[in-house]
């Protein structure tokens, strides 16, 4: 060890020095991970240590070749394979400054039937992006990727409001198709990116393209689905965008392992474009309903002065804070705070997102069944929201200070509660705004409600960096979750369609019979 100058490893041959350095680094990683749990360590018995040292020191041959040489050859093959598939071709336009770790990527979203599929493709593409940049991190610093992701969220968030207006002005079916074309094309082009500047531009375009999803889907569902069917319809949409992370993790990982990270972008981008073919087949029926719902639409000021708009925006802000917090930091929490291995963490995180998706569909279906039996939408949706937010507070606190078993159970309970609230997030808006204003309403709501995509990863990273653990981060998430009760329950007085006053008609004076 050479203090602040790293380590010096000596061996009779280069492969031998490499092997010693490799296992020294692995041992250091295991030690840091074990100490980061802040729990009593279980030391390996002395006889086991001595036997392992004897076996390791004895070396060995495989097929007549020394094990050390085989290990070094395998490393060379991995590097050559990475170059063949472009894993280290991303280079920043200028050498990045040495900074803290960048914000992680975040979250998934998209429509009923066809919309559920497009949301799933979107979520899958996001997770493919996350894994791909992890593979190329030796050339493109993670903090540079963090800047690209943050800029994605700025364009995604700010574009929601104009997209909502465009959906109601030119037809949600057209704007949804245009947005998908833009983000699918940008996804494919990411697979050809070689500089940080080009990656940044494409991430900005992805944000603009993906912003079309929720305002357009809300407008279409409000126009073609009766109020008593909105729970199931939005549950199917939620099932699509919540299974996106699961599909992206599994399929994207396989694509990157066998064909390189660029292939993952090409495949997901191409699959997204294929969605346009069936969409154009059903767009005709959607077109008539959307145009009919655009007649006598309320003004922007009439929408903005509704207290319920700000209530749903606050509710979504609260919901999304815990969602983005868990989406970005759950893997790190399971590894560093709870001591799970990388493989166990991946399995648990994937299963947790699957629970979220199934819960979303089940809750939407259950709410519609409640309404079909004469139940009130006000009681049905608000009850689910109240249980979800109170339960989320309890889960956050249990993950912060509970036992390992309680914390792990809370991860899955939270995912079930988060999924159960997903249909109501947009069904409540569609009921309130009706088909005449759902696009702009959801555009405004989503613009404010997705700010946690920028705030939550950064604030959580700051808390963990300053305190050294996740406890306070979970406490903050619990406090923000409480705001959802104010937004969904108190600021939305009654869940029923608002009476938009028709615009004044021109005076008919002087017109003869």
């Amino acid at each position: 060890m050479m203090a602040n100058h790293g380590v010096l490893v000596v061996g009779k041959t280069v492969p031998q020095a490499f092997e010693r350095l490799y296992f020294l680094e692995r041992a250091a990683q295991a030690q840091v991970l074990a100490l980061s749990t802040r729990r009593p360590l279980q030391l390996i018995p002395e006889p086991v240590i001595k036997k392992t040292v004897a076996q390791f020191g004895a070396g060995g041959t495989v097929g007549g070749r020394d094990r050390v040489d085989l290990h070094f050859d395998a490393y060379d093959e991995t590097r050559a394979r990475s170059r063949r598939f472009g894993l280290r071709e991303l280079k920043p336009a200028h050498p990045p400054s040495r900074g803290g770790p960048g914000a992680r990527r975040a979250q998934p979203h998209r429509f009923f039937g066809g919309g559920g599929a497009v949301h799933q493709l979107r979520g899958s593409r996001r997770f493919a992006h996350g894994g791909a940049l992890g593979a190329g991190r030796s050339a493109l610093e993670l903090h540079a990727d963090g800047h690209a992701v943050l800029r994605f969220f700025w364009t995604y968030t700010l574009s929601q409001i104009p997209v909502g207006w465009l959906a109601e002005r030119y037809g949600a079916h057209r704007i949804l198709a245009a947005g998908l074309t833009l983000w699918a094309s940008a996804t494919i082009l990411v697979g050809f990116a070689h500089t940080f500047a080009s990656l940044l531009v494409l991430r900005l375009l992805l944000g603009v393209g993906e912003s079309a999803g929720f305002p357009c889907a809300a407008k279409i569902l409000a126009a073609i689905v009766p109020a008593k069917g909105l729970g199931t319809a939005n549950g199917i949409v939620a099932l699509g965008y919540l299974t996106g992370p699961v599909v992206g993790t599994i399929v994207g990982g396989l694509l990157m392992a066998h064909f390189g990270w660029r292939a993952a972008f090409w495949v997901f981008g191409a699959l997204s474009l294929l969605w346009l073919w069936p969409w154009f087949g059903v767009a005709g029926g959607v077109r008539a309903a959307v145009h009919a719902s655009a007649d006598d639409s309320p003004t922007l000021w009439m929408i903005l002065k509704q207290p319920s708009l700000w209530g749903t925006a606050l509710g979504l802000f609260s919901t999304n804070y815990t969602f983005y917090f868990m989406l970005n930091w759950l893997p790190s929490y399971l590894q560093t705070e709870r001591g799970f291995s990388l493989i166990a963490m991946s399995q648990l995180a994937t299963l947790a997102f699957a629970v979220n998706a199934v819960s979303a569909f089940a809750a939407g279906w259950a709410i519609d069944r409640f309404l079909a039996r004469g139940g009130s939408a006000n009681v049905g949706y608000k009850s689910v929201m109240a249980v979800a937010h109170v339960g989320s507070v309890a889960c956050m606190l249990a993950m912060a200070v509970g036992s390992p078993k309680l914390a792990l159970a809370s991860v899955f309970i939270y995912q079930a509660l988060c999924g159960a609230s997903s249909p109501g997030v947009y069904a409540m808006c569609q009921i309130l705004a009706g088909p005449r204003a759902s696009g702009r309403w959801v555009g405004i709501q989503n613009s404010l409600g997705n700010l946690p995509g920028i705030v939550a990863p950064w604030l959580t990273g700051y808390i963990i960096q300053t305190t050294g653990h996740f406890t306070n981060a979970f406490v903050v998430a619990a406090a923000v979750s409480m705001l959802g009760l104010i937004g969904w329950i108190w600021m939305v007085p009654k869940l029923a369609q608002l009476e938009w006053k028709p615009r004044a008609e021109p005076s008919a004076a002087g017109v003869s019979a």
Side-chain angles (χ1 to χ4, degrees):
M1 299 291 185
M2 298 188 295
N4 295 327
H5 300 283
V7 297
L8 176 66
V9 180
V10 179
K12 295 180 179 180
T13 63
V14 171
Q16 187 181 75
F18 165 77
E19 172 135 315
R20 290 176 176 175
L21 178 60
Y22 172 81
F23 283 107
L24 174 63
E25 182 180 9
R26 292 296 298 271
Q29 288 176 345
Q31 180 77 355
V32 170
L33 180 60
L35 293 175
S36 68
T37 64
R38 298 196 172 194
R39 297 184 178 278
L41 301 181
Q42 295 182 351
L43 300 180
I44 300 174
E46 191 67 25
V48 175
I49 296 176
K50 291 181 178 180
K51 183 176 180 179
T52 303
V53 170
Q55 291 175 334
F56 188 86
T61 60
V62 179
R65 297 195 60 196
D66 189 89
R67 183 203 67 210
V68 173
D69 293 329
L70 289 172
H71 187 189
F72 193 71
D73 289 347
Y75 172 71
D76 269 349
E77 171 59 24
T78 301
R79 293 181 59 212
R81 186 170 181 274
S82 298
R83 286 193 294 270
R84 288 199 301 272
F85 291 125
L87 289 178
R88 286 170 171 71
E89 293 177 11
L90 275 175
K91 298 177 181 178
H94 303 285
S97 59
R98 304 178 71 88
R104 300 188 184 189
R105 44 210 69 75
Q107 68 57 271
H109 311 26
R110 241 92 214 143
F111 172 60
F112 177 52
V118 72
H119 276 286
Q120 184 182 50
L121 288 167
R122 171 178 177 263
S124 302
R125 194 273 312 152
R126 284 191 179 184
F127 267 65
H129 178 89
L133 287 182
R137 64 183 295 173
S138 61
L140 186 62
E141 297 282 347
L142 283 181
H143 83 281
D145 174 49
H147 286 304
V149 172
L150 285 177
R151 279 153 181 76
F152 159 82
F153 263 105
W154 279 115
T155 54
Y156 175 72
T157 300
L158 296 177
S159 298
Q160 298 272 341
I161 296 176
V163 163
W165 177 82
L166 289 171
E168 295 188 349
R169 177 68 177 81
Y170 297 102
H173 57 292
R174 294 192 184 98
I175 302 303
L176 180 60
L180 181 137
T181 302
L182 178 60
W183 97 58
S185 301
T187 298
I188 294 173
L189 291 175
V190 167
F192 295 98
H194 286 269
T195 65
F196 174 70
S198 62
L199 176 64
L200 178 60
V201 171
L202 291 171
R203 288 292 288 173
L204 295 176
L205 292 176
L206 282 167
V208 175
E210 290 196 20
S211 67
F214 281 120
C216 294
K219 174 70 175 178
I220 294 171
L221 289 181
I224 66 176
V225 179
K228 291 186 177 181
L230 286 173
T232 302
N234 283 282
I236 294 174
V237 174
L239 181 66
Y241 68 74
L242 292 172
T243 53
V246 180
V247 175
T249 301
I250 298 173
V251 179
L254 292 173
L255 287 172
M256 284 184 277
H258 291 87
F259 305 105
W261 67 267
R262 297 185 184 278
F265 284 95
W266 297 332
V267 169
F268 283 119
L271 289 175
S272 298
L273 288 175
L274 287 177
W275 176 86
L276 292 171
W277 180 40
W279 177 246
F280 286 137
V282 300
V286 173
R287 184 185 304 115
V290 169
H291 281 314
S293 68
D295 297 336
D296 297 326
S297 61
T299 63
L300 178 61
W301 172 244
M302 292 170 65
I303 298 173
L304 289 174
K305 68 180 184 180
Q306 296 296 329
S308 296
L309 169 66
W310 304 104
T312 59
L314 177 61
L316 182 59
F317 182 96
S318 170
T319 299
N320 273 348
Y321 186 93
T322 53
F323 175 77
Y324 285 125
F325 166 60
M326 292 294 287
L327 181 68
N328 287 284
W329 290 98
L330 178 60
S332 179
Y333 165 75
L334 291 174
Q335 281 190 279
T336 61
E337 197 87 350
R338 296 301 178 180
F340 285 94
S341 67
L342 180 62
I343 295 176
M345 176 276 297
S346 301
Q347 294 172 339
L348 288 172
T350 301
L351 182 58
F353 286 120
V355 169
N356 196 328
V358 173
S359 175
F361 174 75
W365 176 85
I367 292 173
D368 280 353
R369 292 289 295 171
F370 173 75
L371 299 182
R373 295 177 179 177
S376 164
N378 194 60
V379 173
Y381 284 105
K382 285 189 175 183
S383 297
V384 172
M385 290 302 191
V387 171
H389 281 271
V390 172
S392 294
V393 172
C395 290
M396 294 297 114
L397 297 178
M399 283 184 267
V401 298
S403 65
K405 290 183 178 180
L406 178 61
L408 184 59
S410 298
V411 169
F412 287 94
I413 295 173
Y414 164 76
Q415 294 294 343
L417 293 171
C418 180
S421 69
S422 297
V425 167
Y426 296 103
M428 290 179 68
C429 303
Q430 291 153 2
I431 293 173
L432 289 164
R436 295 159 59 189
S438 290
R440 284 175 292 168
W441 185 298
V442 170
I444 297 167
Q445 170 189 290
N446 264 26
S447 183
L448 299 174
N450 274 282
L451 289 176
I454 301 169
V455 176
W458 170 82
L459 180 58
T460 302
Y462 175 78
I463 292 172
I464 295 172
Q465 183 179 8
T466 54
T467 64
H469 53 78
F470 280 82
T471 302
N472 291 341
F474 278 109
V475 172
V476 171
V480 175
S481 188
M482 288 295 295
L483 297 177
L485 295 173
I486 299 175
W488 296 119
I489 311 301
W490 182 67
M491 295 181 68
V492 180
K494 182 180 180 181
L495 189 57
Q497 184 170 336
L498 297 168
E499 294 294 332
W500 303 113
K501 293 181 180 180
R503 296 178 180 178
E505 297 292 337
S507 174
V511 178
S512 59

